[in-house]
Amino acid sequence: MKGIIIGGGIIGLSIARELHKNGYEVAIVENLKIGRGASWTAGGMLAPQAEGLEPGDFLDFCLDSRDMYSSFVRDIERDVHQEVGYWKCGILCPAFSEEEENELKERIEKYKQLELTGQWLDRKELEDIYPSLGKEIRGAALFPDDAQVDNRLLMIALEKYARSRGIELYEFTKAEEIVHLNGKFVGVKTNKNLVEGDFCVIAAGAWTDTLYKSHVFPIKGEMAAIDITSKDIDRVIFGSRAYLIPRKDYKRLVIGATEEMVGFKDGNTVKGLMQLFNGLKDTLPHLINKNIQETWFGYRPATPDFLPVIGKTDIKNLYVATGHYRNGILLAPATAKIMFDLIDKNIESFYLEKFSVKRFEK
């Protein structure tokens, strides 16, 4: 059987790999270069606890996927003989006010009731670790099981897998229309040709609604990267003013990320970059003297309830896997697994019911 994946980002490539490993013929239709959309512009945090997700189905989904990550990246690295910068470094959440301190301490206790790890570090403990510390920081919550992956290395590795295994790649090809006959999927009309297949997964991120109404819209984020050394920062710091992500080789610190509902408005702005660098200064002031490596922007695929849209549609053999918002990198392994189980075995995961597009009809 042949499956068509629309979208060559982390979700689309992960589903394509899972299908290909299990004997399916796969084609990917991507508007840009494979892997260079939102997944390329992300931060790579695997941070359900640092994000402060409330106990419930979505937190469980994120925790399941976080638990899968070690084996997920190990298998990819083995397949393509390339490391992807996975690092279970833990994530530190600083408190800039008494209100934030109380919220973080409550979060630690709430997660402990779920048997999740977390601890509070006071300011003195932080001062012993970092060369400088923002004067407003009162302490921080440490979530040692949160992690990160270098999303760009991961995208390169997944692209390498696709190319080396003979997955058809239609790059710089715009999917224009889902073709169906008598309520059943038959192909994808693009600006170049008709790609026929037995089933299709739309994993087009913020652009999904151009093909199928999934209630997905873009939220723009701006980011930057600077030089660092191993003496500057020891782990991800996720604060309310900015998040700081040191890569495993300590050659790069990623700073993110703004959020704006401005549609697909391209470009970095003075306002956005000022927010990033002010957040950096408020967190680790000594880093403002570092050289800037790069600035960029991207579009997160959000939904009205900020939860993903995954599963069947009202067209037979047409599926969606989109709307992952801030957690696309994190949720790739779990999304790929439940989508494969649905397509291959018609197993209706509990999460498919919770994150079905049908919830918006209610």
Side-chain angles (χ1 to χ4, degrees):
M1 290 185 70
K2 180 176 181 179
I4 302 170
I5 312 295
I6 302 176
I10 182 70
I11 301 297
L13 285 169
S14 297
I15 295 170
R17 175 176 170 270
E18 194 68 25
L19 289 165
H20 178 271
K21 284 194 311 175
N22 288 279
Y24 284 83
E25 184 181 353
V26 183
I28 299 175
V29 178
E30 167 56 48
N31 193 35
L32 305 171
K33 178 174 168 55
I34 291 292
R36 297 306 189 272
S39 302
W40 188 261
T41 63
M45 290 189 298
L46 313 174
Q49 291 180 256
E51 289 262 11
L53 300 181
E54 289 295 322
D57 299 330
F58 185 59
L59 174 61
D60 292 344
F61 188 41
C62 290
L63 292 172
D64 287 350
S65 204
R66 187 184 69 179
D67 291 344
M68 296 171 66
Y69 235 92
S70 179
S71 59
F72 175 67
V73 298
R74 184 180 63 243
D75 290 348
I76 293 170
E77 289 175 338
R78 183 198 61 220
D79 288 342
V80 301
H81 308 291
Q82 174 190 311
E83 291 191 7
V84 298
Y86 172 72
W87 184 14
K88 192 177 176 180
C89 57
I91 297 184
L92 197 69
C93 298
F96 289 94
S97 66
E98 182 179 0
E99 181 181 0
E100 286 190 356
E101 178 179 343
N102 291 336
E103 190 277 325
L104 286 166
K105 287 179 175 177
E106 289 173 6
R107 188 191 306 176
I108 291 170
E109 293 306 313
K110 181 167 52 181
Y111 286 156
K112 281 183 178 179
Q113 294 175 15
L114 301 175
E115 299 183 347
L116 300 173
T117 59
Q119 67 182 98
W120 179 258
L121 302 179
D122 62 29
R123 183 176 175 92
K124 179 63 171 64
E125 291 174 287
L126 296 176
E127 289 175 343
D128 291 340
I129 300 171
Y130 300 105
S132 69
L133 196 66
K135 62 181 184 299
E136 295 176 72
I137 294 176
R138 302 164 62 90
L142 173 62
F143 298 108
D145 290 333
D146 278 349
Q148 66 154 299
V149 67
D150 188 325
N151 50 290
R152 293 188 178 182
L153 292 181
L154 180 56
M155 297 315 298
I156 290 169
L158 286 169
E159 177 190 1
K160 188 175 180 180
Y161 178 92
R163 293 188 188 282
S164 65
R165 299 306 196 274
I167 292 175
E168 290 181 73
L169 301 180
Y170 294 89
E171 293 182 286
F172 305 103
T173 301
K174 184 179 180 181
E176 295 183 333
E177 183 183 346
I178 300 298
V179 182
H180 51 96
L181 184 63
N182 298 323
K184 183 179 180 180
F185 170 82
V186 295
V188 178
K189 180 183 176 184
T190 77
N191 60 331
K192 298 178 181 179
N193 57 359
L194 175 67
V195 184
E196 295 180 302
D198 298 297
F199 63 90
C200 175
V201 181
I202 305 176
W207 290 266
T208 298
D209 275 32
T210 63
L211 294 165
Y212 186 85
K213 183 66 173 178
S214 302
H215 303 270
V216 176
F217 57 89
I219 295 184
K220 181 182 176 182
E222 298 187 46
M223 300 183 73
I226 63 171
D227 292 340
I228 52 164
T229 70
S230 60
K231 297 178 181 178
D232 292 316
I233 182 172
D234 65 334
R235 65 181 76 242
V236 175
I237 299 180
F238 183 102
S240 57
R241 303 190 182 181
Y243 54 72
L244 314 180
I245 309 171
R247 292 309 187 203
K248 194 175 182 180
D249 61 5
Y250 289 108
K251 293 181 180 179
R252 181 177 176 90
L253 180 78
V254 173
I255 309 166
T258 65
E259 291 200 2
E260 285 187 291
M261 294 181 62
V262 292
F264 293 104
K265 182 181 179 183
D266 285 353
N268 284 104
T269 64
V270 173
K271 176 185 175 183
L273 294 178
M274 284 180 64
Q275 181 178 329
L276 297 179
F277 294 131
N278 283 332
L280 174 69
K281 181 181 178 182
D282 290 344
T283 309
L284 297 179
H286 70 286
L287 294 180
I288 63 172
N289 296 314
K290 299 289 185 176
N291 288 335
I292 298 172
Q293 295 181 1
E294 182 187 0
T295 61
W296 67 96
F297 62 93
Y299 303 103
R300 304 176 187 88
T303 64
D305 57 10
F306 299 106
L307 298 175
V309 176
I310 309 172
K312 294 179 179 179
T313 70
D314 57 0
I315 299 173
K316 185 175 175 58
N317 295 338
L318 177 68
Y319 308 89
V320 288
T322 186
H324 292 76
Y325 186 38
R326 298 173 60 93
N327 292 290
I329 304 296
L330 167 63
L331 289 171
T335 300
K337 182 181 185 304
I338 65 173
M339 287 303 299
F340 171 75
D341 287 344
L342 176 63
I343 293 166
D344 187 65
K345 307 177 184 71
N346 199 32
I347 295 175
E348 293 276 2
S349 160
F350 168 78
Y351 295 129
L352 292 176
E353 178 186 348
K354 291 296 179 181
F355 305 132
S356 169
V357 69
K358 292 180 181 178
R359 71 183 186 270
F360 295 116
E361 296 173 5
K362 302 174 183 177

